[in-house]
Amino acid sequence: MSGAQTTAGELSRAAGYGRAAAPVRLVHLGLGNFFRAHQAWYTDRAPDAGDWGIAAFTGRRAELADALNAQEGLYTLVTRAADGDRFDVLSSLSRAHPAADYQAWLGYLASPHVRAVTITVTEAGYVRGADGGLDRDRPQIQADVEALRHDLTAQVRTAPARLVAGCAARRHAEVGPLTVVSCDNLPDNGVVVARVVRDLAEMVDPGLADWLAGSISFATTMVDRITPKTTQEDLHTVKAATGLNDHAPVATEPFSEWVLSGPFPGGRPRWDDAGATFTDDIQPYEQRKLWLLNGGHSLLAYAGSARGHQTVAEAVADETCRAWLEDWWSEASRHLSLPPADVAAYRTALLDRFANPRMHHRLDQIAADGSQKLPIRILPTLRRERAAGRLPPGATRALAAWVCHLRGAGAPVTDARADQVVPLATGPLPDAVPRVLAALDPTLADDDDLVAAVLAHAEQLGQRTRS
């Protein structure tokens, strides 16, 4: 075990575990397992980690911040390979906060010591409209804008508004440049967060929007590490292996990748010395990961759970699901710009990662927010295939499986647009399919051959419809 004693006891720096807490120079929005297995892990491994502490804010779970603060920010990362576990205590999290600790958020962003903000708020957290910009008509956006117009320090709820309020605090403090680093599974995520933040700033104060353009940088990243939810069994595993009463461990896989592109005028940790890649062209890496890993995950989440499977490993062990996955990968791979040998190696590695029986990556976790995920994971390949005159079975099957999911097959529906998309999937299947497709992209419903293919796959999946 790296960086920890092996005697029984509570996990704390005072007891000799981990490093001393580093001064806070990074702030993270979206405290959760992926952040702690990925960005916090890279920061912990950087040779200058002692200079770059992280203050992280939860999205919803205040109890996670409480658990981590009781352990002085420390937690055990369980790296779960097929042949055994590795246990490391990570020290990069200097302080955890619940989302409601809003004055702390504003205080950090107004600090001259803080140089970057990283975010993992999921695709739905960007509150985007159909045009890719901020959904200005969303009630929670309008409420946040109204609050900030009256008081730039007023507490707000959405991630774009929190970022705008933090930037306003930084502008008022005159403390220098800041880089915002999106770590969510969105193509051009740096461009996405820049747009929604600037859209909201314009609604609040055009002068603030102008200041943002010259003072705040946005980095685009590609992130890759399979990280399931923590289970009670994980706590017992850590206790048995290390003697530690860790109330907030994270289990993850051995593989990890982080590719970044963009300026950091205020400085950053030496993430490149910890294994991160910096590049001027992130798109090839981004597409490979979004289409092959995330697209494959979405296919398995809907089709695999409809066939009764609970985890990715179970689904990929099913020969039928495995064949469907290979269909999808073959279609998506045709449109990747990386060398074919590199793509083939990535696919081989993905099969090993998906098949890892000790990861317990639940399909119902992956199935959430399909209305936000499918447009970026499946539709780009589908459009390219249709433009080439092909009717791709992998992509159409993924869409059919989502329709079945909305009708009650497999994993339960948890979606930011559930109130809109679930009613569209009710009634006779021939009517439901074009309605659901139109909710993703109106042009899909106008493609008769595509609608027929999705309908045929949906009928074959034998979905259970909602009453």
Side-chain angles (χ1 to χ4, degrees):
M1 180 167 181
S2 173
Q5 300 171 357
T6 56
T7 56
E10 298 301 318
L11 185 54
S12 71
R13 301 179 201 263
Y17 298 97
R19 297 186 305 271
V24 172
R25 300 182 69 192
L26 301 170
V27 176
H28 183 80
L29 179 60
L31 173 59
N33 281 13
F34 181 76
F35 154 70
R36 291 191 288 142
H38 195 272
Q39 298 96 62
W41 179 76
Y42 279 95
T43 302
D44 191 81
R45 287 163 52 91
D48 54 351
D51 298 326
W52 290 91
I54 305 170
F57 288 77
T58 64
R60 293 177 293 273
R61 295 177 52 206
E63 65 272 16
L64 177 58
D66 293 339
L68 285 164
N69 284 327
Q71 299 175 176
E72 298 182 333
L74 302 177
Y75 58 93
T76 307
L77 186 72
V78 185
T79 306
R80 187 149 285 164
D83 60 352
D85 292 339
R86 173 188 171 95
F87 302 87
D88 295 283
V89 171
L90 301 196
S91 307
S92 54
L93 184 62
S94 294
R95 184 70 181 171
H97 296 269
D101 196 354
Y102 194 64
Q103 291 308 308
W105 167 262
L106 296 180
Y108 285 125
L109 267 72
S111 168
H113 304 294
V114 169
R115 303 304 177 87
V117 175
T118 57
I119 53 176
T120 49
V121 295
T122 77
E123 294 91 336
Y126 292 80
V127 202
R128 294 194 297 165
D131 66 350
L134 185 73
D135 188 347
R136 298 167 185 256
D137 296 327
R138 198 81 65 90
Q140 58 265 47
I141 290 293
Q142 293 183 340
D144 282 350
V145 168
E146 187 65 21
L148 291 176
R149 282 175 176 167
H150 286 89
D151 180 2
L152 285 172
T153 67
Q155 184 152 357
V156 291
R157 296 178 59 191
T158 64
R162 287 178 72 96
L163 289 167
V164 167
C167 289
R170 195 167 188 88
R171 179 193 188 192
H172 180 75
E174 298 182 346
V175 291
L178 182 78
T179 300
V180 177
V181 188
S182 172
C183 300
D184 283 300
N185 289 317
L186 290 164
D188 293 323
N189 52 26
V191 176
V192 169
V193 69
R195 181 172 177 185
V196 297
V197 166
R198 287 169 182 161
D199 284 352
L200 196 143
E202 287 173 357
M203 295 175 70
V204 172
D205 175 4
L208 175 59
D210 291 341
W211 178 86
L212 283 171
S215 303
I216 305 297
S217 301
F218 295 88
T220 294
T221 72
M222 186 284 294
V223 296
D224 191 353
R225 196 170 206 183
I226 296 171
T227 308
K229 290 183 178 179
T230 300
T231 67
Q232 202 64 32
E233 182 182 350
D234 294 326
L235 276 66
H236 296 321
T237 297
V238 171
K239 173 68 173 178
T242 69
L244 290 172
N245 295 312
D246 188 345
H247 300 287
V250 178
T252 191
E253 63 172 336
F255 181 92
S256 183
E257 188 174 22
W258 195 10
V259 184
L260 302 96
S261 179
F264 288 82
R268 59 167 176 81
R270 289 164 57 186
W271 287 320
D272 38 349
D273 290 332
T277 299
F278 285 79
T279 180
D280 292 331
D281 184 9
I282 203 168
Q283 188 178 70
Y285 302 93
E286 189 176 72
Q287 291 177 339
R288 181 192 65 183
K289 194 263 180 169
L290 281 170
W291 300 350
L292 299 187
L293 187 150
N294 297 121
H297 265 172
S298 288
L299 170 63
L300 295 177
Y302 305 125
S305 67
R307 287 176 60 82
H309 302 302
Q310 302 296 316
T311 68
V312 173
E314 290 176 11
V316 83
D318 177 336
E319 290 185 3
T320 298
C321 288
R322 170 82 168 267
W324 292 346
L325 183 64
E326 294 284 5
D327 282 345
W328 162 246
W329 280 351
S330 294
E331 295 159 11
S333 295
R334 281 196 285 263
H335 306 287
L336 293 173
S337 60
L338 290 169
D342 290 355
V343 174
Y346 188 77
R347 287 173 58 171
T348 299
L350 274 184
L351 280 179
D352 290 339
R353 296 168 66 190
F354 283 9
N356 185 342
R358 304 183 64 254
M359 284 298 296
H360 304 295
H361 198 184
R362 295 186 58 84
L363 296 176
D364 56 2
Q365 175 189 355
I366 299 166
D369 291 323
S371 67
Q372 313 291 307
K373 294 173 178 177
L374 293 178
I376 57 181
R377 298 181 177 190
I378 303 295
L379 295 194
T381 291
L382 176 62
R383 294 189 183 104
R384 288 167 170 81
E385 287 288 286
R386 294 303 286 138
R390 293 187 290 266
L391 195 59
T396 52
R397 188 178 289 111
L399 296 181
W402 186 57
V403 174
C404 295
H405 165 71
L406 295 178
R407 291 169 68 87
V413 176
T414 303
D415 197 291
R417 295 178 61 199
D419 292 346
Q420 302 170 44
V421 295
V422 170
L424 298 176
T426 59
L429 192 58
D431 298 330
V433 166
R435 288 198 301 259
V436 173
L437 292 180
L440 291 178
D441 179 349
T443 65
L444 300 180
D446 296 332
D447 186 335
D448 292 340
D449 290 339
L450 173 64
V451 171
V454 173
L455 176 60
H457 287 308
E459 291 172 340
Q460 291 167 6
L461 283 168
Q463 81 290 345
R464 299 187 304 276
T465 59
R466 293 178 181 271
S467 59

